[in-house]
C-alpha cells in the first residue's frame, strides 16, 4: 500500500496473507497474518473510506495470490473512490474461473482518466448514453465482453484517446466501441480472434497502431487487410514478434504498411524463426526480384524513423531493412538492435547498401534485456503516465 504527497494509493496482496504499506520519505512496515478475509476488508475499509485526503490514484492487484474478493466489497470501495475524485484506476483480479462485474460507479465515474481492468466482465448498461465518460486511456486484459440477445453491443466512450487489448478477450466480436477521439489502438497477444472491423473501423482516424505478428496471420485479419481504407492519419506503427519465417505474417505486414502513406515512425520486433522457415519463406515470396512480391511497395515519403530489433539477421530481415532504406527518401534515424543469437555482422552490409535518403543515419545497438528498442508492449499499452 503506497501513499505519496500526490495522494497516491497502491494496494497489493501478497500470498493472500499480507498487505504491504509504504510511505515515501517515511517508514516502511508490513501487516502480516491479519486474521483472514474479514480482517483484511476491515483494514482496507479504514484505509480507503476513512482516509481524510482524496485518493487520486488507486491500484488493486492480486497477481501474487489466489485472493478472491467479494463483489460487494469491490463495489463499496469503487463507490467511495468515484465520489472522491479518483483519476487513475487500475484493478487486476486474476482468479481462475472467476470474472467480476465492473462496478456501476466505475462505468459512470466522470473523473477517471486512466483505467486498467483485468479479470472483469465488460458490459454496457441498457439505455446508458455512454460508459467511462472521462476516460482517455483504457486497457482491457483477460476480460469477457458480455453478449447481447440483440446481437452486437455498441458503447460510446466519448473521450477515449488510447485503447489497448491483450490476453483473453472473450466475446469481443459481439462488442463495439465508438470513440470519436481515438488516436491509438493496440492489440497484443489477443487470444480470441477479433473481427477485422475492429481495425477497419478505427484505421481512418488513429495516429498510432500497435499489433502482434501472430494477429496478422489470423485468417479474419489477413483476409481483410487488402480491403482496408488508406490510413491517412496513421503516423506510428509498431509490430511485435513479427515472424519473418512466416510468409503470411510478412505479407500482411507489408500490405498494412502500404496502407499508411504518411507513416513517420515504424518499429519492428522480429520473432525467432528457424533457418528452414526463413529459406522457405524467402523462396516463396521471391522478394525484391519479383515485381509482384510483397516487398514491392511505394515510396514512404514521410518515414523519418525506423526502430528494428533483429533476431538472427536472416535473409528476410535484411531484405526487409534494405527495402525500407531504398523506399524512404526522408529517412533520418535508423536504430537497429542486434539479436543475441546473431552470428553475422549485418552493420557493414547495411552501411554499404544504397540509401534513398542522404540524411539517413544508422545506429547499431547490442541487445540489452529486459530493455527493448521499441518498448515493451505491456508498458506501451499503459504508458500515458510515467508513474504507472
Amino acid at each position: 500500500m503506497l501513499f505519496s504527497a500526490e495522494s497516491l494509493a497502491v494496494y497489493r496482496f501478497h500470498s493472500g496473507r499480507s498487505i504491504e504499506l509504504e510511505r515515501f520519505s517515511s517508514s516502511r512496515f508490513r501487516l502480516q497474518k491479519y486474521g483472514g478475509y474479514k480482517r483484511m476488508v476491515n483494514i482496507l475499509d479504514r484505509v480507503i473510506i476513512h482516509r481524510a485526503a482524496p485518493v487520486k490514484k488507486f491500484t488493486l492487484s492480486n497477481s501474487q495470490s489466489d485472493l478472491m474478493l467479494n463483489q460487494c466489497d469491490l463495489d463499496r470501495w469503487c463507490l467511495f473512490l468515484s465520489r472522491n475524485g479518483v483519476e487513475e484506476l487500475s484493478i487486476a483480479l486474476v482468479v481462475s474461473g472467476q470474472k467480476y462485474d465492473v462496478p456501476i460507479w466505475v462505468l459512470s465515474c466522470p473523473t477517471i482518466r486512466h483505467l486498467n481492468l483485468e479479470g472483469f466482465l465488460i458490459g454496457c448498461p441498457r439505455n446508458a448514453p455512454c460508459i467511462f465518460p472521462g476516460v482517455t486511456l483504457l486497457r482491457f486484459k483477460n476480460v469477457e465482453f458480455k453478449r447481447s440477445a440483440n446481437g452486437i453491443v455498441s458503447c460510446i466512450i466519448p473521450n477515449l484517446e488510447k485503447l489497448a487489448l491483450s490476453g483473453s478477450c472473450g466475446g469481443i466480436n459481439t462488442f463495439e466501441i465508438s470513440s470519436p477521439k481515438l488516436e491509438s489502438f493496440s492489440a497484443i497477444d489477443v487470444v480470441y480472434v477479433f473481427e477485422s472491423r475492429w481495425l477497419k473501423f478505427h484505421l481512418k482516424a488513429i495516429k498510432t497502431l500497435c499489433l502482434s505478428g501472430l494477429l496478422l496471420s489470423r485468417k479474419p485479419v489477413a483476409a481483410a487487410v487488402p480491403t482496408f481504407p488508406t490510413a491517412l492519419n496513421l503516423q506510428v506503427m509498431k509490430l511485435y514478434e513479427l515472424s519473418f519465417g512466416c510468409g503470411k505474417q510478412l505479407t500482411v505486414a507489408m500490405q498494412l504498411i502500404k496502407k499508411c502513406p504518411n507513416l513517420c515512425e515504424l518499429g519492428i520486433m522480429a520473432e525467432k524463426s528457424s533457418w528452414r522457415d526463413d529459406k522457405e519463406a524467402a523462396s516463396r515470396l521471391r522478394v525484391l526480384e519479383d515485381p509482384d512480391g510483397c516487398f514491392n511497395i511505394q515510396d514512404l515519403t514521410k518515414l523519418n524513423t525506423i526502430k528494428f530489433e533483429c533476431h538472427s539477421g536472416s535473409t528476410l530481415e535484411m531484405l526487409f531493412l534494405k527495402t525500407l532504406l531504398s523506399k524512404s527518401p526522408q529517412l533520418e534515424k535508423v536504430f537497429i538492435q542486434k539479436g543475441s543469437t546473431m552470428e553475422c555482422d549485418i552493420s557493414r552490409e547495411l552501411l554499404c547498401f544504397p540509401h534513398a535518403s542522404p540524411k539517413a543515419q544508422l545506429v547499431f545497438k547490442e541487445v540489452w534485456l529486459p530493455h527493448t528498442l521499441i518498448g515493451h508492449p505491456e508498458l506501451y499499452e499503459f504508458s500515458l503516465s510515467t508513474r504507472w
Side-chain angles (χ1 to χ4, degrees), residues 46-75:
R46 290 200 300 270
V47 172
I48 300 174
I49 298 176
H50 301 296
R51 187 166 183 261
V55 177
K56 296 296 183 182
K57 179 177 178 179
F58 179 85
T59 299
L60 174 61
S61 171
N62 70 338
S63 59
Q64 299 181 22
S65 75
D66 296 324
L67 183 66
M68 184 180 296
L69 293 179
N70 290 334
Q71 182 74 49
C72 61
D73 294 321
L74 181 62
D75 290 345

Side-chain angles (χ1 to χ4, degrees), residues 255-275:
Q255 289 173 342
L256 197 57
I257 292 173
K258 292 177 184 179
K259 297 289 183 178
C260 309
N262 296 320
L263 193 65
C264 297
E265 179 179 330
L266 177 63
I268 302 288
M269 179 188 291
E271 174 65 299
K272 179 181 180 180
S273 59
S274 68
W275 176 86

Side-chain angles (χ1 to χ4, degrees), residues 26-61:
S26 184
S27 61
R28 175 182 297 182
F29 55 96
R30 174 174 293 188
L31 299 176
Q32 295 178 330
K33 299 180 181 179
Y34 45 75
Y37 181 82
K38 186 175 181 180
R39 174 64 173 158
M40 179 207 69
V41 169
N42 289 337
I43 291 174
L44 287 182
D45 279 346
R46 290 200 300 270
V47 172
I48 300 174
I49 298 176
H50 301 296
R51 187 166 183 261
V55 177
K56 296 296 183 182
K57 179 177 178 179
F58 179 85
T59 299
L60 174 61
S61 171

Side-chain angles (χ1 to χ4, degrees), residues 96-115:
S96 179
Q98 172 74 25
K99 287 286 191 295
Y100 293 85
D101 288 316
V102 179
I104 187 65
W105 323 112
V106 174
L107 288 170
S108 60
C109 180
T111 62
I112 299 175
R113 299 289 180 264
H114 300 172
L115 179 62

Side-chain angles (χ1 to χ4, degrees), residues 167-228:
S168 173
C169 295
I172 191 172
N173 290 328
T174 65
F175 208 82
E176 189 173 88
I177 294 177
S178 177
S179 311
K181 297 182 180 181
L182 190 67
E183 294 185 354
S184 174
F185 178 76
S186 171
I188 302 294
D189 297 329
V190 177
V191 176
Y192 288 86
V193 181
F194 61 79
E195 295 178 358
S196 58
R197 61 181 173 83
W198 273 86
L199 282 176
K200 194 171 184 178
F201 181 73
H202 297 296
L203 199 57
K204 288 183 178 180
I206 60 174
K207 296 179 180 179
T208 300
L209 179 63
C210 182
L211 300 173
S212 57
L214 182 60
L215 189 64
L216 300 180
S217 62
R218 301 281 175 83
K219 188 174 180 179
V221 176
V225 166
T227 68
F228 281 179

